[in-house]
Amino acid sequence: MAHSSQINASPTRPIASQPTATAAKLMLVLVASFVTLVPGGPIETRDFSGLGGTVFWGFNAFLIALALLAVGSAVAMLRGSATASWGAIVAAWGYIFVVLLDLGHVFPTSPDPIPLMLGLIEILDFILAFYVLALAHRGLGHI
């Protein structure tokens, strides 16, 4: 007897497991949320001119690479790749690392205080990243 999830399965495209698909969708929400925090935008209003061009653009390059890894992993997971969960795990840890450095006033530093909305979004993203971690590990059969 065929399992209900196998009845409509395409032979050429595997179906993502529920934890993997959920992790992928939440990873896309996490990336979208981080995009709203671009310096000079409506939420991130701090002055980072003291960092210098190389450090500022190097950090932005890191954030762009992190977003590309996250989006690529999410798309692959939605297409049924369980191994793409490893990319999601790395990206989630990257986002956790960035939030901890910022909220801990380690990097990037600015003479301006962290705006309230920025702090709230970062805390929510921190929680969301841990949720993505748990779901990605579950999708890999670790939990």
Side-chain angles (χ1 to χ4, degrees):
M1 178 175 235
H3 187 271
S4 63
S5 67
Q6 295 172 338
I7 294 172
N8 295 324
S10 167
T12 60
R13 185 173 156 215
I15 296 175
S17 71
Q18 184 62 35
T20 303
T22 303
K25 292 171 187 172
L26 291 178
M27 179 60 76
L28 293 173
V29 171
L30 179 61
V31 171
S33 174
F34 250 77
V35 167
T36 67
L37 304 180
V38 64
I43 297 172
E44 176 56 278
T45 57
R46 296 177 290 176
D47 176 22
F48 294 112
S49 60
L51 292 178
T54 304
V55 173
F56 179 78
W57 289 111
F59 182 58
N60 281 328
F62 169 75
L63 291 176
I64 290 167
L66 188 60
L68 291 174
L69 172 64
V71 169
S73 297
V75 169
M77 289 186 327
L78 287 172
R79 291 186 176 167
S81 172
T83 57
S85 294
W86 286 110
I89 290 168
V90 170
W93 278 115
Y95 283 116
I96 290 168
F97 180 68
V98 168
V99 168
L100 286 176
L101 287 178
D102 192 23
L103 292 180
H105 303 286
V106 176
F107 182 84
T109 56
S110 169
D112 306 323
I114 294 176
L116 177 63
M117 185 58 87
L118 173 68
L120 291 174
I121 290 172
E122 285 188 341
I123 290 168
L124 291 173
D125 285 345
F126 181 81
I127 294 166
L128 185 58
F130 269 109
Y131 194 45
V132 168
L133 277 174
L135 290 169
H137 277 289
R138 181 173 288 166
L140 290 168
H142 298 163
I143 299 175

